[in-house]
């Protein structure tokens, strides 16, 4: 028997079954997800590939509680997210999920340390802003404002902010999309290190298939479905990747 597509180990953090998402705008219906089954195993690093419009961001936004499915089941550990109301979803996001987006969304008038502190002040068992920034190699730049940092450094502040609350789940939507080759690699190294050192279950959406080499598992989407799954024989360090 073949294992179910998208299944990780038996110790799943997040389990999705039959997720669909239909966006309705007036008369137009877009079927963004057409039945996605996915298990995310505790601590794994998944790279999610697929053409533009295939539903990657929609899926990851639903996994992170930023959006809700039209139908299907979604369970985080013992919590039924499929039936959660807005208050429960907010709590799920706040306590368990870190997000990293293509554009860093830092607050320009706050230093790196203060941007991270915004999150640590409302978290229960956070890293200190100093620890979080040291993890991403920015211990020397804590008191700099975003405008004094390069794009890659700003993205690392965004990663520090996302991981400072020690999330269970780190969801990254094209985190290197706005960065050049070297800077992008540095950001990937940061993500890989956070995954192994903190054990944070991580999903990275990218258009760059080469990035799949650093994953425990590579998933591909097409037209609202998961269509393939690969487990690289050996997980490479981002410094070993080239494209
Ligand atoms: N808020 C929305 N309203 C209507 N349609 C939407 C909305 N968000 C996404 N879609 C549609 O859903 C489909 C999947 O979009 P999604 O953003 O998940 O794709 P993606 O794989 O992330 O693409 P990309 O690689 O370009 O970021 C697309 O056809 C998109 O136009
Ligand atoms: Mg997208």
């Amino acid at each position: 028997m073949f294992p179910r597509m998208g299944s990780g180990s038996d110790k799943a953090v997040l389990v999705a079954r039959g997720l669909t998402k239909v966006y309705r705008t007036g008369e137009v219906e877009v079927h963004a997800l057409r039945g996605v089954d996915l298990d995310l195993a505790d601590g794994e690093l998944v790279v999610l590939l697929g053409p533009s419009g295939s539903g990657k961001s929609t899926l990851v936004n639903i996994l992170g509680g930023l959006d809700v499915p039209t139908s299907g089941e979604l369970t985080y550990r013992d919590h039924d997210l499929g039936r959660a109301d807005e208050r429960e979803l907010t709590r799920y996001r706040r306590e368990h999920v870190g997000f990293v987006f293509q554009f860093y969304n830092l607050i320009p008038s706050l230093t790196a340390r203060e941007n991270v502190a915004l999150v640590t002040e409302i978290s229960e068992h956070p890293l200190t802003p100093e620890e979080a920034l040291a993890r991403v190699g920015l211990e020397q730049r804590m008191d700099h404002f975003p405008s004094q940092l390069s794009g890659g450094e700003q993205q690392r502040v965004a990663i520090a902010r996302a991981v400072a609350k020690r999330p269970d789940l780190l969801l990254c939507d094209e985190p290197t999309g706005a960065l050049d080759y070297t800077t992008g690699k540095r950001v990937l190294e940061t993500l890989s290190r956070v995954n192994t050192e903190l054990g944070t279950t991580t999903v990275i959406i990218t258009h760059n298939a080469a990035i799949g080499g650093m994953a425990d598992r590579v998933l591909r989407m097409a037209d609202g479905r998961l269509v393939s799954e690969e487990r690289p024989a050996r997980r490479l360090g981002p410094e070993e990747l080239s494209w």
Side-chain angles (χ1 to χ4, degrees), residues 30-43:
V30 177
H31 291 257
L33 298 181
R34 298 173 184 268
V36 171
D37 294 344
L38 174 64
D39 290 10
L40 289 182
D42 208 353

Side-chain angles (χ1 to χ4, degrees), residues 9-233:
S9 81
D10 42 4
K11 231 179 127 203
V13 178
L14 205 62
V15 176
R17 290 290 175 269
L19 290 184
T20 73
K21 181 70 180 179
V22 183
Y23 291 108
R24 287 194 184 82
T25 318
E27 304 272 284
V28 182
E29 279 194 352
V30 177
H31 291 257
L33 298 181
R34 298 173 184 268
V36 171
D37 294 344
L38 174 64
D39 290 10
L40 289 182
D42 208 353
E44 74 173 329
L45 192 157
V46 171
V47 164
L48 181 58
L49 299 169
S52 186
S54 57
K56 304 180 298 295
S57 296
T58 301
L59 174 60
V60 162
N61 288 344
I62 290 173
L63 298 181
L66 284 175
D67 201 353
V68 290
T70 304
S71 67
E73 306 282 323
L74 184 62
T75 316
Y76 166 75
R77 298 195 186 273
D78 295 331
H79 303 282
D80 182 354
L81 296 179
R83 280 163 200 74
D85 61 23
E86 190 46 50
R87 224 180 95 247
E88 292 165 312
L89 284 180
T90 302
R91 197 162 144 208
Y92 164 64
R93 286 196 304 269
R94 182 175 297 171
E95 293 180 1
H96 302 294
V97 189
F99 293 97
V100 175
F101 297 104
Q102 180 171 2
F103 301 103
Y104 333 117
N105 306 316
L106 300 176
I107 297 180
S109 59
L110 300 180
T111 64
R113 189 198 306 261
E114 290 164 344
N115 265 282
V116 176
L118 280 183
V119 169
T120 56
E121 278 160 17
I122 59 165
S123 307
E124 265 188 57
H125 307 288
L127 303 173
T128 63
E130 292 74 21
E131 285 172 315
L133 286 161
R135 287 216 169 261
V136 302
L138 289 178
E139 53 275 77
Q140 305 300 322
R141 312 298 298 271
M142 304 213 206
D143 296 311
H144 286 78
F145 292 93
S147 63
Q148 299 170 315
L149 299 169
S150 73
E153 288 161 351
Q154 291 181 59
Q155 187 61 302
R156 278 149 58 205
V157 175
I159 294 169
R161 180 181 56 185
V163 302
K165 62 176 153 184
R166 300 180 200 262
D168 241 11
L169 202 60
L170 183 62
L171 302 175
C172 311
D173 196 343
E174 301 189 36
T176 59
L179 303 174
D180 67 27
Y181 185 82
T182 311
T183 316
K185 274 198 165 184
R186 182 82 210 263
V187 163
L188 294 172
E189 276 164 27
T190 304
L191 291 172
S192 184
R193 191 148 32 80
V194 163
N195 168 257
T196 44
E197 291 176 3
L198 298 178
T200 314
T201 306
T202 303
V203 179
I204 301 174
I205 294 179
T206 175
H207 281 109
N208 182 352
I211 292 176
M214 67 179 270
D216 295 309
R217 191 152 64 112
V218 181
L219 299 173
R220 282 177 199 268
M221 290 191 78
D223 197 22
R225 293 187 176 91
L226 283 174
V227 293
S228 78
E229 173 183 51
E230 279 166 69
R231 289 175 190 275

